[in-house]
Amino acid sequence: MTDNILHPAEVSTLYIVPTPIGNLGDITQRSIDILSSVDVIAAEDTRHTGKLLSHLGVQTKTFALHDHNEQQKAAYLIERLQNGESIALVSDAGTPLISDPGYHLVTQCRDAGVKVVPLPGACAVITALCASGLPSDRFSFEGFLPAKSKGRKDKLKDVEQMPHTTIFYESPHRITDSLKDMLEVLGPDREVVMARELTKTFETFKKLPLGELVEWVTADSNQQRGEMVLLVHGYRETTTEEMSPEVIRTLTAIAKELPLKKAAAITAELFSLKKNALYKWGLENLE
Ligand code: SAM
């Protein structure tokens, strides 16, 4: 086997190795070479990773490193690295550390002066973003939304006015509740993309205003299955083009009777626009 390895692992090095997120073909030759030549593979779930390794014909031993023992085992692994061994870190799927274990080990390696080498590869957030049709020049990845509705809505309020694409991981048993909370906080017009079952047989991208997406997902239980990423279009200020003559007439008429703040709020409600933008327009044009 060693003869075929083009990229052999170096001593005293921790390698971060991404694994496929569905399609087993999505692993690089370099990743396979590293997995084959390290002394040990630290895996989130050794049984799960075992299946991938046997598919790849890799016989390297595995070591369990998951959320519950990572802090405790990191020192032991660092000692092995300092004694000249090489270790590959993998998670169940995709890139370790991205909503997966590995942060404590990597940060402790850095603090101890141990070399850390990242290998590029599969990651659901990037896979979803690049084909979503949403702006990709700036984005923020927010991981999973909180499990409880109150925490979820608080988080959504925090990101509501972010101007860039905001991306969340979600699980099938929470998807409808999360979408309903999104609808409540972000409103029916916000464009959202649901990217489901990426790289797998039933890969689906659906881009709809939130009100329609919630209906579409709740009406079809198939859309609530599998693995999914939600990508939310950034907040858009109401532009002057959206200030149609009808909006301007309404705002102007109400502002004659009520304070501008109140007039902006009523007009925003009537036309599903943002009250702050209407208020700002009113200050510049009516006062
Ligand atoms: N480390 C992984 C990565 O690099 O993407 C993510 C691990 S996180 C525990 C699992 C979540 O990632 C899933 O709940 C889902 O939101 C997203 N995910 C993983 N694989 C996916 C796929 N094939 N299609 C859509 N989303 C996926």
Side-chain angles (χ1 to χ4, degrees):
M1 184 112 208
T2 331
D3 288 351
N4 302 328
I5 295 175
L6 297 172
H7 316 91
E10 288 177 18
V11 295
S12 296
T13 305
L14 174 73
Y15 291 90
I16 316 289
V17 182
T19 53
I21 56 169
N23 187 321
L24 288 179
D26 293 333
I27 185 154
T28 65
Q29 185 58 53
R30 186 170 168 225
S31 292
I32 299 171
D33 287 352
I34 293 297
L35 290 173
S36 306
S37 58
V38 287
D39 294 297
V40 67
I41 297 169
E44 185 180 6
D45 178 338
T46 50
R47 279 211 334 223
H48 185 98
T49 297
K51 289 181 199 152
L52 173 70
L53 297 179
S54 68
H55 167 81
L56 298 172
V58 171
Q59 284 164 6
T60 311
K61 285 204 179 93
T62 55
F63 177 93
L65 189 80
H66 42 72
D67 277 338
H68 305 292
N69 73 355
E70 187 185 344
Q71 301 215 43
Q72 179 205 343
K73 297 289 180 197
Y76 164 73
L77 290 175
I78 288 171
E79 202 183 309
R80 288 181 67 165
L81 286 158
Q82 285 170 328
N83 287 335
E85 290 194 28
S86 54
I87 298 177
L89 172 68
V90 299
S91 60
D92 286 353
T95 301
L97 281 85
I98 306 302
S99 292
D100 266 341
Y103 166 73
H104 296 291
L105 177 62
V106 169
T107 195
Q108 287 182 42
C109 280
R110 289 274 176 220
D111 290 348
V114 170
K115 191 171 174 191
V116 180
V117 174
L119 272 55
C123 182
V125 54
I126 300 300
T127 309
L129 176 66
C130 65
S132 67
L134 294 186
S136 54
D137 53 341
R138 277 186 72 198
F139 65 94
S140 71
F141 171 60
E142 301 289 336
F144 285 93
L145 278 165
K148 295 202 175 128
S149 185
K150 159 94 175 65
R152 214 155 41 217
K153 285 189 210 159
D154 287 348
K155 175 75 197 173
L156 289 164
K157 281 176 199 153
D158 273 356
V159 302
E160 193 219 332
Q161 303 223 351
M162 301 268 211
H164 50 260
T165 303
T166 306
I167 308 172
F168 300 97
Y169 280 165
E170 197 43 274
S171 68
H173 65 279
R174 281 212 284 265
I175 185 67
T176 47
D177 288 344
S178 286
L179 281 174
K180 283 177 189 162
D181 286 343
M182 272 192 180
L183 178 61
E184 201 178 313
V185 177
L186 307 177
D189 301 327
R190 185 74 72 107
E191 247 180 6
V192 173
V193 175
M194 184 161 111
R196 207 172 57 80
E197 294 290 86
L198 294 164
T199 77
K200 304 187 208 177
T201 312
F202 296 106
E203 179 176 278
T204 313
F205 279 85
K206 195 73 178 175
K207 182 180 183 193
L208 282 174
L210 203 39
E212 290 173 44
L213 186 68
V214 173
E215 276 178 24
W216 184 74
V217 172
T218 33
D220 180 359
S221 61
N222 283 330
Q223 305 307 331
Q224 300 160 25
R225 299 211 172 100
E227 299 192 278
M228 49 204 63
V229 182
L230 293 172
L231 305 98
V232 179
H233 198 294
Y235 173 80
R236 278 187 275 210
E237 286 273 351
T238 306
T239 60
T240 325
E241 294 90 75
E242 284 170 288
M243 293 292 292
S244 65
E246 204 186 347
V247 173
I248 294 173
R249 257 198 317 277
T250 309
L251 180 61
T252 311
I254 304 176
K256 280 187 186 145
E257 308 297 328
L258 294 171
L260 180 58
K261 228 177 200 152
K262 192 94 191 134
I266 296 170
T267 313
E269 182 72 36
L270 287 172
F271 293 93
S272 301
L273 297 171
K274 293 283 167 198
K275 63 174 185 256
N276 287 349
L278 292 181
Y279 180 64
K280 205 168 136 217
W281 185 92
L283 283 180
E284 284 160 13
N285 295 280
L286 299 176
E287 301 246 299

